[in-house]
Amino acid sequence: ITARVYYEKVSDIVDQIPLSPTAEAPGNIDSANRYGIEWNSTFNFDTLGWHGGRLNVELNLQRSRVRDPLTGVRRSISNEMQRDIEIELRHDIPQTDWAWGLEYEDYRQAPGLRLTQINNFRSGAPFVGAYIEHKDVFGLRVRGGVYNILDRDENFTRTFFVDRRDGPVAFIEDRTREFGPIFSFQISGSF
């Protein structure tokens, strides 16, 4: 297990800042606070009697606070990754060239802020997959899998404001992308 808990005081962070009533550009905000945890681990299940089984976990959780240059309200750093989780359960079947596994991925990012709009990208469910693998087909590794088992979709919402983000809403763009199951076939290695 490797883990890191952190707190950072960031100076001169780059974000979108207003230049005039109608213009914006990337620029420096005085300061921000960022804190989080990073976790990376591998658990082998041999000692528990499940030979060849292992669990890999990568976890990044992060939050930040910055004073918005337009409204003065505290918010997250624009478009910053807030959660990133990857988990793999794998079983290399003893005394064979076969293995199978399950994979789980999920993430979330903070809304993106501009002078006249707020955009928010989010996913409906975690991305989950399963695979089976043979480690020696004529010296090559062959893997077949099915992913997006939970039928994850991607949602995007963008709110446009009449003049600036602190004024009335002009309109909202809202879209969803559905992509169903994904089938994968991979061959790797060298002759």
Side-chain angles (χ1 to χ4, degrees), residues 31-151:
S31 65
N33 298 318
R34 180 184 292 139
Y35 55 94
I37 183 170
E38 294 176 352
W39 177 282
N40 193 337
S41 60
T42 299
F43 301 100
N44 289 314
F45 294 106
D46 289 341
T47 56
L48 299 175
W50 188 32
H51 298 286
R54 84 170 179 255
L55 180 69
N56 293 324
V57 178
E58 289 183 35
L59 171 71
N60 292 302
L61 301 174
Q62 178 173 266
R63 291 290 183 268
S64 62
R65 286 289 167 251
V66 66
R67 190 166 301 281
D68 189 289
L70 179 63
T71 64
V73 174
R74 292 211 173 268
R75 63 164 170 86
S76 295
I77 296 171
S78 188
N79 288 319
E80 184 175 65
M81 186 63 68
Q82 294 181 323
R83 176 180 67 215
D84 186 13
I85 302 170
E86 294 182 22
I87 300 171
E88 180 187 20
L89 176 66
R90 180 180 172 96
H91 184 216
D92 289 279
I93 302 170
Q95 300 171 359
T96 73
D97 288 325
W98 288 96
W100 62 270
L102 302 170
E103 295 177 344
Y104 173 99
E105 295 178 18
D106 194 21
Y107 70 93
R108 181 178 71 194
Q109 69 186 59
L113 293 107
R114 307 283 310 245
L115 182 65
T116 60
Q117 63 183 268
I118 299 172
N119 61 64
N120 196 2
F121 179 81
R122 61 204 180 285
S123 56
F127 191 76
V128 176
Y131 63 86
I132 189 163
E133 179 180 288
H134 195 285
K135 295 176 271 188
D136 187 13
V137 177
F138 303 111
L140 302 173
R141 183 179 301 257
V142 177
R143 179 190 282 198
V146 59
Y147 297 89
N148 198 28
I149 294 172
L150 298 180
D151 198 25

Side-chain angles (χ1 to χ4, degrees), residues 157-177:
T157 302
R158 185 168 22 202
T159 304
F160 291 87
F161 295 85
V162 173
D163 291 314
R164 288 184 160 206
R165 191 167 24 92
D166 57 354
V169 173
F171 64 94
I172 297 173
E173 171 190 0
D174 192 4
R175 63 181 184 228
T176 299
R177 182 175 73 144

